[in-house]
Amino acid sequence: SGGNRMRIFNEQMRVSVHERIAAEKLLREALAGDREQTLPVWFQPIVRAESGEIVGAEALVRMRAADGSIIGPGHFVPAAEETGMIVQLGEHVLIMALRHLMEWRHDLGYISVNVSPRQLAEPDFVPLLADLLAANPELDPKRLVLEITETALLGSSVDVRERLETIKRLGVRIALDDFGTGYSSLTWLQNVPADVVKLDRSFVAGLSSDARKSSIIQAVLWLAKSLGMSAVAEGVEEEADRQALHSAGCELIQGYLFGKPMPPAEFSERIQRSRM
Ligand code: C2E
Ligand code: CA
Ligand code: CA
């Protein structure tokens, strides 16, 4: 009955609120602990579509629970955003990413780091970035890419465009994440001085057998190229999709076909092996 369904729905809601509160508590504890242990930053390869050669990596944060299990960002990044803890979390991820980029500087071109709208709006964000870059003078800032989503433009009191211009003046590159999933992608392209578009998995996966997806991808690649931007396709799981993207002129791709996000030690091994 309708009454029954209502009750089930409410129970699910309660679980989810409960989970949110639990996530918040875990995150607070993780931030107060040894962050390298409690909030490990993993890396997923970004490769050349043609050869599979690793050129970059996306840094993706995880949480390690007391029992050693690993919790994905989907379970705590939203709570981090809501509470503002994303600012500390993001700083930690940036520090770890730069540390590893320094370590891998001879074997890896760049590291891409996700930056949430809230972090971007923070007045201290640009000074933090400048300090971190100054602390690593051997690293060319263009080897750091900041991935931002369209929601950064919405409901923000700061002038996002201006902030991004300032970041670009530091030499850091900007990527538009999840491109194509928002409702104002073209406005976004027009207004934001980005260097890279990341084509969302939703229209990358299965593209080789879907003529509509393929047309959309080709058009977006053309658009990116005309605007002087490079493109990275996300969510490549099948060889046929790799081939289709390569034929369409997409040079860089990322996805389970080449590797899931992995701990730094494992990623290190991967890049050593791929050099041989
Ligand atoms: P995202 O930035 O779009 O990251 C890509 C997500 O897609 C990652 O999930 C990655 O593991 C997954 N993925 C990559 N290739 C494939 C594939 O071939 N197939 C499938 N099915 N999935 C693939 P993950 O690591 O769970 O991260 C989820 C989201 O959490 C990220 O989405 C990002 O929005 C957020 N996130 C992760 N780390 C951070 C961080 O340090 N800061 C912020 N602000 N957000 C983060
Ligand atoms: Ca991303
Ligand atoms: Ca993405």
Side-chain angles (χ1 to χ4, degrees), residues 58 114 147 149 177-179 198-201 234 254:
E58 179 172 356
N114 294 286
E147 298 193 2
T149 53
D177 203 357
D178 304 337
F179 187 77
K198 295 201 74 175
L199 309 177
D200 191 69
R201 167 158 57 96
E234 302 185 299
Q254 177 181 354

Side-chain angles (χ1 to χ4, degrees), residues 129-148:
L129 196 58
D131 284 352
L132 290 174
L133 292 170
N136 293 284
E138 298 97 306
L139 287 181
D140 183 342
K142 74 166 186 288
R143 298 175 71 177
L144 177 65
V145 176
L146 300 183
E147 298 193 2
I148 54 177

Side-chain angles (χ1 to χ4, degrees), residues 10-11 98 151 226 233:
N10 281 338
E11 271 162 19
L98 283 169
T151 46
S226 328

Side-chain angles (χ1 to χ4, degrees), residues 3 20 27 40 57 59 62-63 69-70 74 92 155 167 173 193 195 199 230 240 245 256 266 268:
R20 177 61 63 92
L27 183 59
R62 300 290 183 261
M63 183 153 68
S69 60
I70 294 289
H92 163 69
I167 290 171
R173 289 188 292 155
D195 307 277
L199 309 177
S230 65
L245 285 160
Y256 292 174
E266 204 177 308
S268 252

Side-chain angles (χ1 to χ4, degrees), residues 172-242:
V172 171
R173 289 188 292 155
I174 306 286
L176 304 183
D177 203 357
D178 304 337
F179 187 77
T181 58
Y183 57 81
S184 60
S185 294
L186 297 178
T187 312
W188 183 229
L189 268 192
Q190 181 180 318
N191 290 322
V192 171
D195 307 277
V196 181
V197 280
K198 295 201 74 175
L199 309 177
D200 191 69
R201 167 158 57 96
S202 57
F203 58 103
V204 169
L207 117 120
S208 59
S209 55
D210 185 327
R212 295 182 77 92
K213 277 188 187 179
S214 168
S215 293
I216 293 169
I217 289 278
Q218 284 180 43
V220 174
L221 287 170
W222 177 84
L223 192 56
K225 199 170 182 181
S226 328
L227 291 168
M229 302 166 78
S230 65
V232 178
E234 302 185 299
V236 181
E237 295 185 1
E238 286 165 28
E239 172 56 22
D241 292 337
R242 180 196 69 77

Side-chain angles (χ1 to χ4, degrees), residues 29 55 87 89 94 148 190 205 219 222 227 235 266 274:
E29 289 165 0
V55 293
V87 174
L89 180 64
L94 209 48
I148 54 177
Q190 181 180 318
W222 177 84
L227 291 168
E266 204 177 308
S274 90

Side-chain angles (χ1 to χ4, degrees):
S1 75
N4 228 353
R5 289 173 68 175
M6 192 64 183
R7 194 163 54 85
I8 290 162
F9 177 69
N10 281 338
E11 271 162 19
Q12 281 173 348
M13 291 293 283
R14 218 175 296 133
V15 168
S16 122
V17 169
H18 189 82
E19 262 179 18
R20 177 61 63 92
I21 292 166
E24 204 181 305
K25 183 169 175 287
L26 280 177
L27 183 59
R28 204 175 299 283
E29 289 165 0
L31 283 168
D34 174 3
R35 294 180 184 177
E36 247 186 278
Q37 294 303 316
T38 56
L39 295 162
V41 177
W42 286 11
F43 296 89
Q44 183 180 31
I46 297 171
V47 310
R48 271 191 215 294
E50 185 173 18
S51 58
E53 178 202 357
I54 300 177
V55 293
E58 179 172 356
L60 293 155
V61 72
R62 300 290 183 261
M63 183 153 68
R64 188 177 281 119
D67 65 2
S69 60
I70 294 289
I71 303 166
H75 296 279
F76 62 91
V77 164
E81 289 255 6
E82 251 169 49
T83 56
M85 286 191 274
I86 193 74
V87 174
Q88 283 172 280
L89 180 64
E91 178 173 346
H92 163 69
V93 174
L94 209 48
I95 290 170
M96 296 308 293
L98 283 169
R99 186 186 298 174
H100 283 108
L101 183 55
M102 190 60 197
E103 181 188 335
W104 299 326
R105 66 189 179 282
H106 302 300
D107 308 301
L108 188 73
Y110 72 94
I111 288 183
S112 212
V113 176
N114 294 286
V115 174
S116 85
R118 180 119 181 211
Q119 250 181 301
L120 199 63
E122 204 54 33
D124 289 340
F125 182 69
V126 176
L128 166 73
L129 196 58
D131 284 352
L132 290 174
L133 292 170
N136 293 284
E138 298 97 306
L139 287 181
D140 183 342
K142 74 166 186 288
R143 298 175 71 177
L144 177 65
V145 176
L146 300 183
E147 298 193 2
I148 54 177
T149 53
E150 271 172 68
T151 46
L153 274 187
L154 307 169
S156 167
S157 53
V158 299
D159 185 338
V160 174
R161 189 199 156 99
E162 201 175 282
R163 185 137 300 170
L164 293 174
E165 301 274 6
T166 316
I167 290 171
K168 283 190 59 140
R169 263 180 255 120
L170 294 172
V172 171
R173 289 188 292 155
I174 306 286
L176 304 183
D177 203 357
D178 304 337
F179 187 77
T181 58
Y183 57 81
S184 60
S185 294
L186 297 178
T187 312
W188 183 229
L189 268 192
Q190 181 180 318
N191 290 322
V192 171
D195 307 277
V196 181
V197 280
K198 295 201 74 175
L199 309 177
D200 191 69
R201 167 158 57 96
S202 57
F203 58 103
V204 169
L207 117 120
S208 59
S209 55
D210 185 327
R212 295 182 77 92
K213 277 188 187 179
S214 168
S215 293
I216 293 169
I217 289 278
Q218 284 180 43
V220 174
L221 287 170
W222 177 84
L223 192 56
K225 199 170 182 181
S226 328
L227 291 168
M229 302 166 78
S230 65
V232 178
E234 302 185 299
V236 181
E237 295 185 1
E238 286 165 28
E239 172 56 22
D241 292 337
R242 180 196 69 77
Q243 273 175 22
L245 285 160
H246 174 54
S247 317
C250 184
E251 284 170 16
L252 298 180
I253 56 183
Q254 177 181 354
Y256 292 174
L257 182 63
F258 307 98
K260 293 189 174 181
M262 60 189 98
E266 204 177 308
F267 188 81
S268 252
E269 267 176 42
R270 268 296 294 273
I271 51 181
Q272 298 305 327
R273 253 193 290 135
S274 90
R275 261 167 69 83
M276 294 192 302

